Amino acid sequence: MLFFSYFKDLVGGEVTVELKNDLAIRGTLHSVDQYLNIKLENTRVVDQDKYPHMLSVRNCFIRGSVVRYVQLPPDGVDIELLHDATRREARGG
Amino acid sequence: MTYGIRPFTNRSDDGAPILDTNNNERLMRVQPNVSIVLGNHAPESNGTLYISSKQVVWLSDADRAKGYAVDFVSVSLHAVSRDPEAFESPCIYTQIDTGDEDDESESSDSESSETPMDLSKITEMRLVPSDPTQLDTIFEVFCECAELNPEPVEEEEEPHNWIFSADQLGAGIDGDIPEWNDIQIPFTIGHANGDDDLASSVLELQINDQRFEDAEEMESDNSDEHHH
């Protein structure tokens, strides 16, 4: 749940979502749900030579289970807040 | 669980797919006049798209033996594609998880119109409605259904432990970071101490309405007496 809360705070920001099949899509985070399904807007494929057919896509829905990494804007991370929240979650586990 | 695209021929007499209604599968949307493009194969036209709460089904209008289905758990990504340079017609573009992680990234390149189709290897599917104004609606239905189909919980996975100790619950309510904790509290209530209390509350709620029945009987007895 921590990451769901965390990603919700990033809505409206620019992220890059890297899929487990190596496709990386950059875009504005439109929404995220409890399964970490991610909706992006104004998307563009990072490696356009490899995935030319994805050029046309302006918005997309990515299933949470196929996401490998989400790259965040540096100023989108409140390290103090994240430290504290992860510590809480670790204590609870 | 079946990954990827599979043939689908299970139709009722009216041509609609027979759904697993016993497991609450329900039809979310029917879109007539949709072509389907599997991988780099040639488009197959004149079909009807059925979106259920579990799967995407495309059935050929002319050939009752021809149809495809893919479960939402296998739909990795979906998007509206409108750029004619990427594909000649506006369409719903989807990436399909075949469950075969090794050649997933390259298999779309190796597909071609000449080779016979191996459905289990198809990693891309395009749905092309003849009416492109329907694309956004179909996209939203896909989103809704994707959320209805979360990942099945794998047995070997360590279960999440949402039970927090009492002092942590207190800390959460005190809330130096309330924004992050308010989501966790319902889970704590539900799992840690909710079940037992709920069961006893339900028992207490059972109303002993014996006296109401008695009153009714007495009333009818009285009226009988009056008649005598």
Side-chain angles (χ1 to χ4, degrees):
Chain A
M1 293 317 279
L2 191 157
F3 283 101
F4 173 44
S5 310
Y6 180 67
F7 282 123
K8 278 209 302 191
D9 284 348
L10 288 173
V11 164
E14 189 88 346
V15 297
T16 302
V17 180
E18 185 182 324
L19 275 57
K20 288 175 184 168
N21 66 3
D22 297 334
L23 176 67
I25 307 169
R26 189 162 178 76
T28 309
L29 185 61
H30 171 274
S31 59
V32 60
D33 69 15
Q34 58 175 318
Y35 307 113
L36 303 186
N37 295 326
I38 290 175
K39 251 182 177 175
L40 294 180
E41 285 183 336
N42 307 313
T43 55
R44 56 199 173 281
V45 173
V46 174
D47 187 355
Q48 301 196 334
D49 293 338
K50 200 172 170 192
Y51 303 96
H53 53 276
M54 287 289 294
L55 272 175
S56 60
V57 169
R58 287 287 161 265
N59 61 342
C60 71
F61 179 105
I62 301 161
R63 201 173 160 75
S65 59
V66 302
V67 174
R68 182 186 288 145
Y69 297 120
V70 180
Q71 297 168 26
L72 312 167
D75 59 359
V77 188
D78 184 333
I79 290 170
E80 285 303 309
L81 198 63
L82 201 56
H83 267 172
D84 208 45
T86 45
R87 239 180 257 127
R88 278 162 193 280
E89 185 130 313
R91 274 207 309 259
Chain B
M1 192 176 91
T2 318
Y3 281 104
I5 300 172
R6 59 185 188 278
F8 190 102
T9 54
N10 199 9
R11 305 186 189 206
S12 63
D13 290 337
D14 63 1
I18 295 173
L19 304 178
D20 187 6
T21 48
N22 288 336
N23 285 315
N24 296 322
E25 184 179 10
R26 58 190 194 279
L27 198 58
M28 307 294 278
R29 185 166 178 91
V30 180
Q31 188 69 42
N33 301 315
V34 177
S35 307
I36 191 169
V37 184
L38 299 174
N40 294 337
H41 295 272
E44 302 175 58
S45 43
N46 297 328
T48 302
L49 177 67
Y50 298 87
I51 304 174
S52 88
S53 53
K54 289 269 186 298
Q55 57 184 335
V56 181
V57 181
W58 178 91
L59 298 179
S60 165
D61 292 340
D63 182 357
R64 281 181 66 88
K66 190 191 218 178
Y68 308 107
V70 58
D71 287 336
F72 271 104
V73 289
S74 299
V75 180
S76 306
L77 175 155
H78 66 265
V80 177
S81 166
R82 287 200 170 91
D83 188 344
E85 283 190 23
F87 192 76
E88 61 264 28
S89 314
C91 64
I92 296 284
Y93 170 81
T94 63
Q95 287 191 352
I96 307 299
D97 184 358
T98 59
D100 193 358
E101 302 205 354
D102 291 336
D103 60 3
E104 199 165 7
S105 57
E106 56 191 341
S107 55
S108 70
D109 297 332
S110 58
E111 290 161 16
S112 82
S113 314
E114 280 87 43
T115 52
M117 197 172 342
D118 180 355
L119 282 181
S120 66
K121 293 241 161 59
I122 300 284
T123 57
E124 291 178 317
M125 173 178 79
R126 288 180 176 83
L127 297 162
V128 192
S130 61
D131 178 3
T133 63
Q134 297 302 310
L135 283 170
D136 287 328
T137 311
I138 299 171
F139 177 83
E140 289 303 328
V141 175
F142 264 72
C143 292
E144 190 184 336
C145 293
E147 276 192 64
L148 292 175
N149 291 274
E151 231 49 31
V153 179
E154 288 174 30
E155 302 256 326
E156 63 270 21
E157 205 171 285
E158 191 80 7
H160 288 292
N161 186 0
W162 295 112
I163 302 171
F164 297 89
S165 63
D167 58 333
Q168 279 175 308
L169 182 60
I173 291 169
D174 291 342
D176 37 353
I177 314 178
E179 209 181 327
W180 293 43
N181 275 289
D182 58 1
I183 289 159
Q184 294 167 350
I185 289 166
F187 280 83
T188 312
I189 292 167
H191 289 264
N193 53 16
D195 289 350
D196 293 344
D197 290 349
L198 186 66
S200 58
S201 303
V202 168
L203 281 177
E204 283 161 18
L205 273 173
Q206 289 183 343
I207 297 166
N208 181 354
D209 54 359
Q210 198 78 38
R211 58 205 163 104
F212 296 117
E213 286 172 18
D214 284 344
E216 208 171 69
E217 278 167 22
M218 279 172 68
E219 202 174 286
S220 63
D221 285 349
N222 288 344
S223 60
D224 282 347
E225 279 170 17
H226 285 301
H227 283 295
H228 280 295

